[in-house]
Amino acid sequence: MKVTEHIKEAGGKTLFSFEIIPPKKGNNIQELYNNIDPLMEFNPPFIDVTTSREEYVYIEKNGLLDRKITRMRPGTVGICAAIKHKYDVDTVPHVLCGGFTKEETEYLLVDCHYLGIENVMALRGDAMSHQKYFQASKGGHTYAVELVDQIQNLNRGKYLHDVIDANHKADFCIGVAGYPEKHLEAPSLQSDLKRLKEKVDAGADYVVTQMFFDNQKFFEFVEEAKKIGINVPIIPGIKPVAVKRHLQLLPQVFKIDLPQDLISAVEKCKDNKQVRQVGVEWCIQQSKELLAAGVPVLHYYSMGKSSNIHKIAKEIF
């Protein structure tokens, strides 16, 4: 089923979902299953699986370092298919502009269609680690709205090359990202909302937000989105603080603000075990307020670890 169909079927009840990252090459998928297993208690209608950018690695060869480009966490579509088969749950592979040509994107989408995967998350993706700003791959898309366009064309039976006579169309439900505190490259929140409106107008069916720690910012974001005609479901993305380093890392990487009460609570912690508990308690209160506001889904960024997400979900669902 499509994410939007799950929301409609829920009849106003808030659903539980979460996001995982593929294991690194050489790791067993069983570790991923071990972290998914406890969360199935809360009946997630769908699970997101991220896609990672390519990156450079250095391999020693004849005493010199040879730079090679690789993907350390491949297998997004395969993992989606495996989870769908093992747990009988819908999966949402993340599809990126960065690192993919339009042809490679089409092949990926065709694979998803054959596997019965009905949902995709269309994202621009981040810049590579050596880049200051995002640069499109040769033959790839520059903006997420272009990716949404390509997916919608496939839904209409239109492939990249018109020589194909398509008699069976795809029917993807398309998710896109929203930023309650604006995208780090956007000049303003209103400008960022206009970009989001473009993605929805191009055919995006729902929005999942970047993490935030102040619910008021989410509520204001939803209100402003509605004012400019964004009427698709907006799903809050939530991540519990887990280590002290998050106080510096999260604002630096995602350009988000942390509430002073949360900062003070984390700073008082003697170790990361205490930080993890503070993160769980903060996230429980966040989730309760969002639940009371009637959000369609509470979507948790698990980063492949489930123990803290399980504690939170146990209190909410």
Side-chain angles (χ1 to χ4, degrees):
M1 284 176 59
K2 297 179 179 181
V3 168
T4 49
E5 290 172 340
H6 283 297
I7 292 170
K8 188 175 180 179
E9 270 202 4
K13 178 184 176 184
T14 300
L15 302 171
F16 164 80
S17 71
F18 60 96
E19 179 177 298
I20 58 171
I21 58 175
K24 286 186 177 180
K25 284 189 291 191
N27 289 13
N28 195 316
I29 196 172
Q30 186 57 48
E31 183 180 347
L32 193 59
Y33 292 153
N34 292 344
N35 280 291
I36 292 173
D37 286 344
L39 300 180
M40 296 311 293
E41 172 187 344
F42 309 108
N43 300 314
F46 61 91
I47 298 171
D48 275 45
V49 183
T50 66
T51 295
S52 63
R53 282 292 312 255
E54 72 279 27
E55 57 188 277
Y56 285 110
V57 295
Y58 293 87
I59 302 169
E60 188 175 349
K61 187 177 181 180
N62 300 325
L64 299 173
L65 290 177
D66 190 21
R67 190 171 78 162
K68 298 289 185 183
I69 196 163
T70 186
R71 291 185 190 277
M72 297 304 294
R73 296 180 185 271
T76 295
V77 174
I79 289 168
C80 282
I83 291 172
K84 191 172 186 293
H85 173 73
K86 181 176 175 63
Y87 297 102
D88 191 27
V89 63
D90 285 308
T91 49
V92 186
H94 289 195
V95 183
L96 304 183
C97 295
F100 294 88
T101 65
K102 296 170 189 176
E103 281 78 11
E104 288 169 334
T105 297
E106 182 169 280
Y107 303 152
L108 182 150
L109 293 168
V110 168
D111 283 345
C112 289
H113 181 48
Y114 289 155
L115 290 165
I117 294 170
E118 298 181 79
N119 304 283
V120 292
M121 175 65 66
L123 305 166
R124 189 198 71 175
D126 299 323
M128 293 181 68
S129 57
H130 67 283
Q131 297 172 340
K132 187 171 183 180
Y133 302 106
F134 176 86
Q135 296 174 18
S137 300
K138 186 177 180 180
H141 294 299
T142 303
Y143 301 106
V145 67
E146 299 169 349
L147 183 54
V148 173
D149 275 330
Q150 182 178 359
I151 300 167
Q152 274 290 34
N153 279 337
L154 215 62
N155 285 348
R156 301 182 190 107
K158 183 180 178 182
Y159 290 75
L160 289 173
H161 308 295
D162 290 332
V163 294
I164 297 173
D165 183 18
N167 58 12
H168 185 62
K169 299 175 184 177
D171 189 21
F172 290 111
C173 177
I174 307 169
V176 293
Y179 301 86
E181 297 175 69
K182 86 173 183 65
H183 188 275
L184 59 91
E185 296 174 16
S188 70
L189 181 58
Q190 286 302 318
S191 173
D192 200 33
L193 279 166
K194 287 180 181 178
R195 301 289 83 79
L196 179 59
K197 179 70 160 51
E198 288 172 4
K199 291 187 284 187
V200 171
D201 289 345
D205 297 291
Y206 68 99
V207 176
V208 180
T209 75
Q210 181 177 259
M211 71 183 75
F212 57 91
F213 294 88
D214 181 348
N215 284 350
Q216 191 56 39
K217 291 182 177 179
F218 172 78
F219 295 139
E220 290 171 0
F221 171 76
V222 171
E223 190 61 35
E224 291 300 313
K226 287 179 179 177
K227 283 181 183 177
I228 64 169
I230 297 174
N231 297 311
V232 298
I234 298 179
I235 297 170
I238 313 166
K239 175 181 172 59
V241 169
V243 294
K244 228 169 195 180
R245 188 164 172 258
H246 279 165
L247 291 187
Q248 290 75 42
L249 189 64
L250 297 180
Q252 179 184 2
V253 173
F254 299 102
K255 301 298 183 287
I256 57 175
D257 288 334
L258 300 180
Q260 187 56 48
D261 287 350
L262 177 59
I263 295 169
S264 299
V266 170
E267 287 177 340
K268 290 175 185 174
C269 294
K270 295 178 181 178
D271 53 35
N272 282 334
K273 184 178 179 181
Q274 291 184 359
V275 173
R276 199 170 177 84
Q277 185 57 35
V278 166
V280 166
E281 291 171 1
W282 186 274
C283 201
I284 287 171
Q285 294 310 310
Q286 253 197 290
S287 299
K288 285 181 176 178
E289 187 177 21
L290 291 165
L291 186 72
V295 297
V297 184
L298 287 170
H299 184 74
Y300 296 93
Y301 296 117
S302 75
M303 302 305 291
K305 303 296 182 183
S306 63
S307 59
N308 54 352
I309 305 298
H310 186 272
K311 289 177 182 176
I312 296 160
K314 195 79 175 173
E315 294 293 322
I316 306 301
F317 297 95

